[in-house]
Amino acid sequence: MKKLRLLFTLSLAAIVALIIVVSDSINNKLAAQSQYAGRTLVMVTSADYPPYEFRDTAAGSEIIGFDIDIANYIARELGFELKIQDTDFNGIIPALQSQRADFAMAGMTPTEERRQNVDFSDIYYEAKNTIVALQGSNLREPEDLAGKRVGVQLGSIQETAAKEFKDVTIVSLNRTGEIIQEVKARRVDAAIIEDTIATGFVANNPDLEFNTIDAGEGGSAIAFPKGSPLVADFNRVLQQMQSSGEIEKLVNKWFG
Ligand code: ARG
C-alpha cells in the first residue's frame, strides 16, 4: 500500500513537471511568434526634457533618459526593435495622427483635449507645475505673474495653464532649453515648467529658483495613434514594471 502511494506521488510529480516543461516551451514559441517579432516600432519624442529625454552631450549626442529606458524595456519585453525620432514637442501629436510614428514618449500628460486626437496608456509618473525665475524674484503664485512675460513650451499643458493666468504675456518656444535661456537673459520674467525637470535645471543654474504651483492635470503617459492595438500590451508591461519595482528603480536612477 505504501509502495503504491509512493508510486502514485512520483508519477503525479512527473506529470506536473512534464506539464510545466511543455507549457513553457509553448510560451517561448508564442513569444517568438508574437505579433511584434521582427517588427520595428517608431517612437517619437522631444529630446529637450531632461531627465525624461535629452541628448547626452558626452556620448555622441545619443538620446537618453527615463522615457528611453522605459521604451527599451517595453521593446525587449514585447520583442520589437525600437527606432527613436526627435521632433519639437508641438510636432508629436501630428506625427501620431499621420501614422509617422507608432507611439510617443515625451513626458506627455494625458488631457481631455489630447484624447480627441490620440489614445493614452496609463500614467507612469506624476508631475506638478512650477514657476522658474531668477533667484530672488519672489514669483510664487500665478497672481505674482500679472504684468510679466512668461515663457512656456509651444503645445504644452503649461502653455494652456499660462493662458488662464491674469494679465500675462505668453512667450511660446519650441524647446525647453530655450525657455531657460530666456529667463537667464531676462527676456522673460519666468517660465512655467514641471517640477520633475525644474529640479535639474535649477541645480545646473544656481541663478534660478523655482516654486511649485497648483495648476491642473499632471503626470506622463505614452501616446498612440487613435485606435492603436498597442495600448493594451504596453499597459500590461507598464503594470508589470510597476509591480516588479522596475519603474521605481528607473525613477531613482533618473530623478535621484
Ligand atoms: N507634461 C507636459 C505636457 O504634456 C510637458 C511635456 C513636455 N515634454 C517634452 N519632451 N518637451 O504638455
Side-chain angles (χ1 to χ4, degrees):
M1 194 59 195
K2 254 195 188 148
K3 257 193 189 155
L4 211 62
R5 192 175 292 164
L6 184 68
L7 201 66
F8 178 74
T9 314
L10 282 178
S11 45
L12 195 69
I15 290 171
V16 169
L18 194 69
I19 291 175
I20 292 176
V21 169
V22 169
S23 69
D24 218 48
S25 84
I26 289 175
N27 268 345
N28 285 341
K29 278 222 185 79
L30 282 181
Q33 299 167 351
S34 100
Q35 49 166 324
Y36 298 101
R39 273 181 71 183
T40 299
L41 295 188
V42 176
M43 166 177 137
V44 64
T45 190
S46 173
D48 66 333
Y49 216 55
Y52 293 83
E53 46 266 331
F54 58 104
R55 290 190 180 268
D56 184 6
T57 40
S61 192
E62 189 198 346
I63 300 174
I64 57 169
F66 180 58
D67 283 346
I68 312 303
D69 280 358
I70 294 177
N72 276 317
Y73 187 100
I74 296 174
R76 231 177 300 126
E77 216 39 47
L78 296 179
F80 60 82
E81 285 293 318
L82 179 65
K83 201 176 148 208
I84 296 176
Q85 260 169 26
D86 191 11
T87 182
D88 287 340
F89 187 72
N90 200 34
I92 289 181
I93 288 183
L96 294 175
Q97 286 180 297
S98 59
Q99 311 277 343
R100 274 176 285 134
D102 298 292
F103 67 101
M105 288 188 78
M108 186 180 268
T109 308
T111 64
E112 278 320 307
E113 197 188 334
R114 288 174 180 161
R115 281 186 200 283
Q116 314 279 312
N117 300 313
V118 295
D119 285 344
F120 282 102
S121 72
D122 299 333
I123 287 182
Y124 58 85
Y125 198 52
E126 296 289 348
K128 288 200 184 76
N129 284 338
T130 72
I131 301 174
V132 175
L134 286 176
Q135 218 21 286
S137 308
N138 211 26
L139 302 173
R140 299 178 173 277
E141 301 294 337
E143 302 80 71
D144 301 333
L145 298 174
K148 307 267 182 216
R149 289 166 61 81
V150 175
V152 290
Q153 184 160 43
L154 187 67
S156 68
I157 57 166
Q158 287 69 37
E159 184 183 44
T160 313
K163 283 182 180 157
E164 299 296 314
F165 299 164
K166 284 236 160 55
D167 194 25
V168 302
T169 305
I170 296 176
V171 180
S172 299
L173 297 167
N174 275 321
R175 295 260 149 184
T176 314
E178 298 170 346
I179 307 171
I180 297 295
Q181 286 315 314
E182 292 300 289
V183 176
K184 287 170 73 75
R186 299 171 186 266
R187 281 188 291 264
V188 300
D189 300 291
I192 310 299
I193 298 216
E194 278 170 343
D195 55 350
T196 44
I197 68 160
T199 314
F201 278 121
V202 168
N204 290 328
N205 297 281
D207 51 335
L208 300 180
E209 64 182 20
F210 75 90
N211 288 293
T212 305
I213 52 174
D214 192 32
E217 312 155 280
S220 303
I222 308 174
F224 303 85
K226 259 226 158 314
S228 168
L230 300 177
V231 184
D233 285 329
F234 275 55
N235 272 337
R236 186 165 46 76
V237 180
L238 279 180
Q239 267 156 33
Q240 176 189 318
M241 293 180 80
Q242 292 284 7
S243 53
S244 70
E246 185 65 29
I247 291 279
E248 199 190 331
K249 202 178 96 192
L250 294 178
V251 166
N252 289 335
K253 171 178 172 188
W254 291 105
F255 297 93

